[in-house]
Amino acid sequence: MRVGWIGTGVMGAPMAGHLLSRGMDVVVTTRTRARAQSLLDAGAIWAKTPAEAADGADAVVSIVGFPEEVEEVHLGPGGTFSASRTPPIVIDCTTSDPTLAERIAAEAVDRGARSLDAPVSGGDVGARAGTLSVMVGGDREAFDRARPIFEAFGDVVVHQGPPGAGQRTKAVNQILVASATISTCEAMVFAVKSGLDPETVLSSVSRGAASSWTLTNLAPRMLDRDFDPGFKIEHFVKDLGIAVAEANRLEIPLPSLHLAQRLYEGALEAGHGDRGTHGILLALEAEVGL
Amino acid sequence: MRVGWIGTGVMGAPMAGHLLSRGMDVVVTTRTRARAQSLLDAGAIWAKTPAEAADGADAVVSIVGFPEEVEEVHLGPGGTFSASRTPPIVIDCTTSDPTLAERIAAEAVDRGARSLDAPVSGGDVGARAGTLSVMVGGDREAFDRARPIFEAFGDVVVHQGPPGAGQRTKAVNQILVASATISTCEAMVFAVKSGLDPETVLSSVSRGAASSWTLTNLAPRMLDRDFDPGFKIEHFVKDLGIAVAEANRLEIPLPSLHLAQRLYEGALEAGHGDRGTHGILLALEAEVGL
C-alpha cells in the first residue's frame, strides 16, 4: 500500500512512522523538510508538494495545524486534488471544521474519490504508542478500505457516520476535555487557597466520582509547575472555536463550552499559547492573585 | 467499641451496617424509627435522641442531610453535646459547612472531646460495598483512634488537616463532579443535535483524554433516560452552595463552579430536585428544545 503523508508535527511524524513499521510505502511532504528527516531515514520518500505526495498513492493522509491549512493542502494550488491522479481515498486527521470536511467530501466525489475526516485523540503519547482513538466520518466502504492505515496508529477506530461525523465526535471529545481541565484547575486553586495540601487532596479525590483522565494526568503536572505542552493552548483555542461554531450552527447554547472558550482565549491573549492546556491554571491563578 | 449513630439514609444505613459487621456496638437514632429497622434487626440498639445515642459511647457519628441538621443533632437541645457524658470523639460524615465543622470542633474541645469532619464520596454503591473515600479534618490523634470506624466503610481514608479540612476537600470533590456532569450533558446534547449516535460517540470518547467516572457511569444512564438518583439534585445544590460560600469567603472567583451552581439551582426550581445529578440533562434539553 502506498500512502501520501502531509504533516510531520508532534502527532504526524510518529503516526506516519507506524505506517512505515507496517511495511507501507510512505511518500511524505511537509513545510520544512528537516522535520521529515526521521521518516526519510526510516525509508519514506520525499515529495515537494501535497499533489506530488498524492500522485499515484492508494490513499493520502493530512495532519496539519488549522482548517485553513487543511483547505490549502487539499483544495489549494499544489494540493492533493490537483494531483495528476487523485488517490481513491483522501484522509484528514487534523482536528478541523466539520463543514470543511463535508466540502472536501463533495470535491472528492466529483473526482471519483472518497474522503474521510478522521481526527484523533490521545496526544503525543498515544501517537508514539500507536494507541490513538480515531473518530471517522465519511463513506463506510472507504472506511473499511482505509482501516489498515487507522489501525497502524490507533487502537480505538470507530466509524461515526457521514462526512463531518468524525470532526463532530472530536468536538464532543474537546467539550469534555475543556471542562475537565478548567474544573481541575479550579479544584487545585480552591485546595491551595483553603489551606489544604493539594497532593493530599488528590489522594482523596482521584478515585471515585471525581476521577478523570485529566485529574490523574494533568493535576500532578500542575503541582510540579510543569506547563510544557502535551497539547498547546493555541491549538486548543482552535478546537474550541470549531466546537462553538458548530454549536451555534445547531443553535444549542452550551454554557460550559462557552465558558471554556472565553477562558482559553483569555489565556492565549495573556501569552500562554505555547503552554499545555493545563496552563490555564496560570490564567486562573493570576485572576485570584495566587 | 460502642458507637452512637445518627442518620440512616441511603448512605448512613449501610455505613452503620458495616460497623455492626465488624462487631462494634451500635446505638442508633434517626427521625423515623422505621428507617433504622434493618439495623435494629442486625443487632443495633435504639436511642430516642442523639444525646441518648451519644451517652457512654466511645464515639458518635452523624450523617444527615443538611448543615442545619448537623447543627441540631450536635449543638441543639437533645443533641450529642447535651449527653450526660460527651463521647471523646464526635464525627460528622455529612457533606456540610467547613465553618460549622470548625465551630463544632471548638465546642468539642470545651467539653474535653475532639470532633472530626469526615464527609464521604462514592455514593450509595460505595456505601454498600464499604469502599467510600473518607476525607477527614480534625485532631490527628483523634483521627488515629477513629480509624477503625472509617475503615469499616471506607477504603480510601485520608487525614486532610485541621477541623474543616475534610469538608473543604469534599468541596474540591464536588467542584470536579459538578463540572464533569454538566459537560457530559453538553456532550450528549451536542452529539444528538449534530446527528451522531451518542452510544457510538461514547465508544470513541470514553477512553483517552476525555474519560471520567461521570462519562463511564452517568452517560449510559442518560442514554437510558434513567434519572433515578444515585445522588439527588437537591442535595447537590446544597453541596454547591457550601463550595460557593467557601470560595466567596476566600475571595476566589471560580467561574465553572458558579456556572454549575446556577444550572443546578435552575434544575431545582424546575422541579428536578428528586432526580439524580445527571438529571441536569433534562434542564439542558429543555433549554435547547430537545
Side-chain angles (χ1 to χ4, degrees):
Chain A
M1 198 176 204
R2 182 184 169 102
V3 181
W5 193 277
I6 304 154
T8 57
V10 67
M11 299 296 290
M15 288 164 69
H18 289 296
L19 300 193
L20 287 167
S21 304
R22 299 225 171 178
M24 298 183 200
D25 297 322
V26 175
V27 184
V28 66
T29 188
T30 195
R31 267 186 302 208
T32 312
R33 181 173 169 147
R35 297 197 62 186
Q37 197 56 51
S38 66
L39 291 170
L40 298 175
D41 292 345
I45 298 160
W46 177 251
K48 282 195 289 293
T49 63
E52 201 179 305
D55 199 27
D58 299 301
V60 62
V61 181
S62 59
I63 177 157
V64 292
F66 293 87
E68 306 79 67
E69 296 168 63
V70 174
E71 189 170 1
E72 188 191 332
V73 302
H74 292 293
L75 305 177
T80 62
F81 285 167
S82 67
S84 55
R85 197 181 64 74
T86 304
I89 303 178
V90 176
I91 299 169
D92 178 41
C93 290
T94 316
T95 296
S96 172
D97 188 340
T99 54
L100 174 60
E102 289 167 343
R103 191 146 64 84
I104 291 171
E107 296 271 356
V109 167
D110 284 349
R111 287 162 177 78
R114 296 289 179 271
S115 80
L116 300 168
D117 49 301
V120 298
S121 172
D124 52 337
V125 177
R128 285 193 299 272
T131 57
L132 295 169
S133 171
V134 191
M135 307 159 224
V136 189
D139 182 73
R140 176 82 212 197
E141 197 196 324
F143 169 76
D144 288 334
R145 279 186 290 147
R147 195 183 269 279
I149 294 172
F150 297 137
E151 290 183 345
F153 48 71
D155 67 352
V156 182
V157 177
V158 181
H159 184 252
Q160 289 287 350
Q167 295 298 349
R168 293 185 171 101
T169 303
K170 181 65 188 280
V172 168
N173 192 82
Q174 300 307 66
I175 288 168
L176 293 162
V177 166
S179 188
T181 310
I182 288 165
S183 66
T184 297
C185 290
E186 292 195 3
M188 292 297 96
V189 165
F190 184 100
V192 169
K193 287 287 274 188
S194 61
L196 300 168
D197 174 59
E199 283 197 54
T200 310
V201 169
L202 279 182
S203 70
S204 277
V205 304
S206 289
R207 292 166 59 179
S211 66
S212 69
W213 185 95
T214 301
L215 196 63
T216 303
N217 290 276
L218 296 187
R221 289 195 214 172
M222 291 176 194
L223 297 186
D224 291 344
R225 312 303 293 178
D226 166 13
F227 296 108
D228 284 351
F231 186 59
K232 282 185 189 176
I233 284 178
E234 67 172 329
H235 288 121
F236 201 46
V237 168
K238 176 257 300 180
D239 291 8
L240 294 176
I242 291 167
V244 167
E246 185 71 3
N248 288 344
R249 195 182 67 79
L250 298 166
E251 297 180 356
I252 43 177
L254 296 180
S256 85
L257 171 60
H258 283 275
L259 172 63
Q261 185 187 39
R262 183 171 67 71
L263 294 176
Y264 271 104
E265 284 183 344
L268 186 64
E269 282 161 24
H272 298 306
D274 275 340
R275 311 240 189 210
T277 53
H278 57 298
I280 192 75
L281 179 68
L282 298 167
L284 192 67
E285 285 179 343
E287 207 166 305
V288 303
L290 260 175
Chain B
M1 198 176 203
R2 183 183 169 103
V3 180
W5 193 277
I6 304 155
T8 57
V10 67
M11 300 296 289
M15 287 163 71
H18 289 296
L19 300 194
L20 288 167
S21 304
R22 300 226 170 177
M24 298 182 200
D25 296 321
V26 175
V27 185
V28 66
T29 188
T30 194
R31 267 185 303 208
T32 312
R33 181 173 168 146
R35 297 198 63 187
Q37 197 56 51
S38 65
L39 290 170
L40 299 175
D41 292 345
I45 298 158
W46 177 251
K48 283 196 288 294
T49 63
E52 201 179 304
D55 199 26
D58 300 302
V60 62
V61 182
S62 58
I63 177 158
V64 292
F66 293 87
E68 306 80 66
E69 296 167 63
V70 174
E71 190 170 2
E72 189 192 332
V73 302
H74 292 293
L75 305 177
T80 61
F81 284 168
S82 67
S84 55
R85 197 181 64 74
T86 305
I89 302 178
V90 176
I91 298 169
D92 179 40
C93 291
T94 316
T95 296
S96 173
D97 188 340
T99 54
L100 174 59
E102 289 168 342
R103 192 147 62 85
I104 291 172
E107 296 271 356
V109 167
D110 284 349
R111 288 162 177 78
R114 296 289 179 272
S115 80
L116 299 168
D117 49 300
V120 297
S121 172
D124 53 337
V125 177
R128 285 194 299 273
T131 56
L132 295 169
S133 171
V134 191
M135 306 159 224
V136 189
D139 182 73
R140 176 81 213 196
E141 197 196 323
F143 168 76
D144 288 333
R145 280 186 289 145
R147 194 182 270 279
I149 294 172
F150 298 138
E151 290 183 345
F153 48 73
D155 67 353
V156 182
V157 177
V158 181
H159 184 254
Q160 289 288 349
Q167 295 299 348
R168 293 186 171 100
T169 302
K170 181 65 189 279
V172 168
N173 193 82
Q174 300 307 66
I175 288 170
L176 293 163
V177 166
S179 188
T181 310
I182 288 165
S183 66
T184 297
C185 290
E186 292 194 4
M188 291 298 96
V189 165
F190 184 100
V192 169
K193 287 287 273 189
S194 61
L196 300 168
D197 175 59
E199 283 197 56
T200 309
V201 169
L202 279 182
S203 70
S204 279
V205 303
S206 289
R207 292 166 61 178
S211 66
S212 69
W213 184 95
T214 301
L215 196 64
T216 303
N217 289 275
L218 295 187
R221 290 196 212 172
M222 291 176 192
L223 297 185
D224 291 344
R225 312 302 293 176
D226 167 12
F227 296 109
D228 284 352
F231 187 59
K232 282 184 189 177
I233 284 177
E234 66 171 330
H235 288 122
F236 202 47
V237 167
K238 176 257 301 181
D239 291 8
L240 294 176
I242 291 167
V244 167
E246 184 70 4
N248 288 344
R249 194 181 68 79
L250 298 166
E251 298 181 353
I252 42 177
L254 297 180
S256 86
L257 171 62
H258 283 274
L259 172 63
Q261 185 186 40
R262 183 171 67 70
L263 294 176
Y264 271 103
E265 284 184 345
L268 186 66
E269 283 161 24
H272 297 307
D274 276 341
R275 311 239 189 211
T277 51
H278 57 299
I280 192 75
L281 180 68
L282 298 167
L284 192 67
E285 286 178 344
E287 207 166 305
V288 304
L290 261 175

